[in-house]
Amino acid sequence: MTLARTLPCAPVHVGAVGWLALHAAAFWPQGLWIGQRVADGSDDPLGVAAAAGLVLWLWRAKPALRVTPQLPWLGAAAALTLAATAALFVTPPLVAAML
């Protein structure tokens, strides 16, 4: 018996922007820390170039992205989100941000 059959729930359809908003809300502590690092001038400007490269890659890969995630990828994303949040309390912020 799979877990999906034991839980009485209806499927939820969330668009791509909704998934991004949920992850942004979960990662706000890391985002705040990254914003502070960018603002204090201590980071290398190549970080901005890396972020721009990521945005360009996502834009080009947009047709291949799915609106509803596959269950294994969703589970991996949830596990890494929980690990990054828990890491904020026991590791330096850089380690938590890398998760």
Side-chain angles (χ1 to χ4, degrees), residues 3-74:
L3 183 62
R5 291 184 189 151
T6 62
L7 297 175
C9 62
V12 176
H13 298 283
V14 179
V17 175
W19 284 115
L20 290 175
L22 286 171
H23 271 86
F27 288 122
W28 74 266
Q30 286 89 349
L32 179 65
W33 176 78
I34 290 169
Q36 290 171 345
R37 290 281 309 247
V38 169
D40 72 1
S42 66
D43 271 349
D44 190 1
L46 290 177
V48 176
L54 176 63
V55 169
L56 177 65
W57 177 78
L58 285 172
W59 185 260
R60 292 178 132 186
K62 186 171 61 169
L65 298 177
R66 297 169 45 110
V67 174
T68 55
Q70 294 176 348
L71 191 56
W73 287 111
L74 184 60

